[in-house]
Amino acid sequence: MNVRSARPKVNDLIFRLIGRSIHPELYTTLATAEIKQKNFSAVLKVCETGHIACIQHNGKAVCEILTSFQNPLPSQKRLLEKPVRGCRSDSVQLESGLYYQVSYQLEELDYTIFKNVHEEYLMDAQRADLAYQFISENRLTPGALSIIDFEANQTSLLIHAFHTFPDELAVVKTQSLFEF
């Protein structure tokens, strides 16, 4: 698990699904995992704002990204774009035959609960498929943490992502299902 500082404000977060690949110069990759199956391939990345999941299926690309409003991303082929507030679920059927479902949630906690949750996530990060810990910008709060776990088979990819925002005592949780 690597360490870095800098995380956007949780109120600046936006959840997007884009029907194309995203140029790597538009974000900073902090950790990566690759998945290869018969029907698809995927690259999962932890970035400063959250995560990116880029899926290749039937010669088409689709990318899920948790990012900030300030991050300049292509406006072409945006299939889903929602601010991260409360709890939401969405789904999209793509022309390539891919069916996508997502649920994402912002939890704002009190200090004691956040501290306990964050400590549990630190233990989970030890066995996660992908994890990254940021340097704390405040000696009284822990560094932000991103954890991604996935389950892949020939017909689906399920991704669970958890991102902590210690300065705001917040956690963003996402669960994404790509069915091929």
Side-chain angles (χ1 to χ4, degrees):
M1 184 174 9
N2 295 324
V3 181
R4 184 182 173 110
S5 63
R7 190 79 127 172
K9 296 291 183 195
V10 76
N11 287 333
D12 291 341
L13 293 177
I14 189 164
F15 195 88
R16 290 181 173 144
L17 182 68
I18 300 175
R20 59 178 282 189
S21 59
I22 302 171
H23 199 283
E25 289 181 359
L26 297 176
Y27 55 87
T28 302
T29 300
L30 305 172
T32 304
E34 293 186 26
I35 304 164
K36 295 201 185 292
Q37 293 287 327
K38 182 179 178 182
N39 296 329
F40 72 93
S41 64
V43 177
L44 308 179
K45 299 178 181 185
V46 172
C47 55
E48 291 175 334
T49 57
H51 72 272
I52 299 173
C54 295
I55 314 302
Q56 294 283 332
H57 171 67
N58 285 344
K60 304 275 184 183
V62 63
C63 292
E64 166 189 281
I65 182 167
L66 177 65
T67 188
S68 72
F69 284 108
Q70 291 81 22
N71 194 4
L73 291 176
S75 58
Q76 295 175 331
K77 296 189 179 183
R78 284 193 185 162
L79 306 171
L80 178 67
E81 181 174 79
K82 302 281 175 106
V84 178
R85 307 280 185 276
C87 185
R88 293 188 174 183
S89 295
D90 284 294
S91 62
V92 176
Q93 178 72 52
L94 300 168
E95 293 175 10
S96 66
L98 172 70
Y99 181 68
Y100 170 78
Q101 290 179 302
V102 64
S103 294
Y104 47 101
Q105 163 179 359
L106 168 62
E107 291 183 348
E108 297 174 288
L109 308 169
D110 71 28
Y111 178 77
T112 303
I113 294 173
F114 179 85
K115 184 179 173 194
N116 291 336
V117 166
H118 190 83
E119 287 176 13
E120 287 178 23
Y121 285 155
L122 282 172
M123 290 187 291
D124 292 344
Q126 301 300 319
R127 58 186 177 277
D129 293 317
L130 191 59
Y132 189 88
Q133 184 174 7
F134 293 75
I135 294 172
S136 176
E137 295 180 354
N138 176 339
R139 67 179 181 84
L140 300 176
T141 59
L145 182 63
S146 289
I147 299 171
I148 299 175
D149 282 313
F150 62 86
E151 297 173 30
N153 61 42
Q154 298 300 320
T155 60
S156 66
L157 172 62
L158 177 62
I159 303 168
H160 296 276
F162 306 89
H163 305 285
T164 67
F165 294 79
D167 291 340
E168 299 167 272
L169 304 175
V171 177
V172 175
K173 300 176 182 180
T174 69
Q175 178 176 306
S176 307
L177 177 63
F178 297 84
E179 292 181 306
F180 307 98

